[in-house]
Amino acid sequence: MWIYEKKLQYPVRVSKCDPQMAKFLMEQYGGADGELAAALRYFNQRYTIPDKVIGLLTDIGTEEFAHLEMIATMVYKLTKDATVEQLKAAGLGAHYVSHDRALFYENAAGVPWTAAYIQAKGDPIADLYEDIAAEEKARATYQWLIDMTDDVDLQDGLKFLREREIIHAHRFREAVEILKVEQSVQKVF
């Protein structure tokens, strides 16, 4: 059960209209290593992982939805005052024709999100290593997004998201160690 507070996990501010940056941010909205894919991956993996780490996947999966909400807010704020000409110049013309200014789960290149992005092997150690890799890829993408803008307000929110990805990767590494110890103990007995 969730309790939804009607506020973002971290404040989202942008200092200017920037449809090009909004297009880049779509990578974290509907890309293979984005927030939607991560949230769904972790909720899906919960069903084949030992009880000791189910809560971790639930907690991080829930937080990924909060990150998705932050990215959506950033995209909205970066495009809300854009003209159609600015959207076209930023490479968002096709998106505008199909969706107007509505968000759609697609990556920065306009490729729609697909369930093929969700990895689940059914082996807890393999899945957790996949999760670590996913968090590290998200961290790298956030760094590259930070590098792509001079908007210090936007950079602030992106830095928050980058740091949360680092924490998630650490937590998944801890879970791997817990499960490896558990497997070692089971082999002894």
Side-chain angles (χ1 to χ4, degrees):
M1 180 172 138
W2 289 285
I3 298 173
Y4 176 66
E5 290 184 44
K6 294 183 180 183
K7 66 178 187 173
L8 295 174
Q9 183 183 13
Y10 189 84
V12 169
R13 296 181 308 276
V14 301
S15 61
K16 62 183 177 182
C17 175
D18 189 348
Q20 183 69 60
M21 191 62 200
K23 180 178 169 111
F24 297 150
L25 282 168
M26 293 301 292
E27 190 64 33
Q28 289 303 88
Y29 192 70
D33 302 315
E35 302 296 351
L36 178 65
L40 295 177
R41 176 185 303 115
Y42 305 150
F43 278 114
N44 188 58
Q45 290 174 353
R46 292 176 66 248
Y47 296 98
T48 55
I49 202 133
D51 289 344
K52 289 185 177 190
V53 293
I54 287 175
L56 175 65
L57 289 170
T58 304
D59 291 348
I60 294 176
T62 301
E63 186 174 345
E64 300 296 2
F65 280 126
H67 296 175
L68 188 68
E69 185 177 34
M70 288 177 64
I71 293 294
T73 302
M74 289 174 185
V75 170
Y76 168 76
K77 288 183 173 189
L78 289 165
T79 60
K80 71 180 177 77
D81 296 324
T83 65
V84 173
E85 290 304 316
Q86 288 174 309
L87 293 171
K88 284 172 35 181
L92 291 170
H95 178 93
Y96 180 79
V97 168
S98 296
H99 309 288
D100 189 14
R101 294 169 198 274
L103 287 165
F104 183 74
Y105 292 109
E106 60 191 11
N107 68 14
V111 177
W113 185 89
T114 172
Y117 295 160
I118 301 172
Q119 298 299 317
K121 193 67 175 170
D123 177 276
I125 300 295
D127 282 346
L128 287 168
Y129 277 122
E130 170 63 32
D131 299 344
I132 293 165
E135 294 295 328
E136 291 295 349
K137 288 185 271 186
R139 176 204 46 81
T141 302
Y142 279 121
Q143 183 58 57
W144 298 327
L145 288 166
I146 291 164
D147 295 345
M148 293 295 291
T149 185
D150 60 356
D151 183 335
V152 294
D153 289 330
L154 182 59
Q155 285 176 341
D156 179 58
L158 293 171
K159 287 176 182 177
F160 170 82
L161 291 167
R162 180 194 60 200
E163 296 306 310
R164 293 307 301 161
E165 304 302 347
I166 292 168
I167 298 297
H168 295 168
H170 285 299
R171 297 289 312 277
F172 286 135
R173 284 184 184 96
E174 291 168 358
V176 166
E177 293 309 311
I178 289 168
L179 294 182
K180 283 183 175 181
V181 167
E182 185 177 274
Q183 286 177 350
S184 295
V185 170
Q186 288 174 354
K187 288 179 182 177
V188 172
F189 295 102

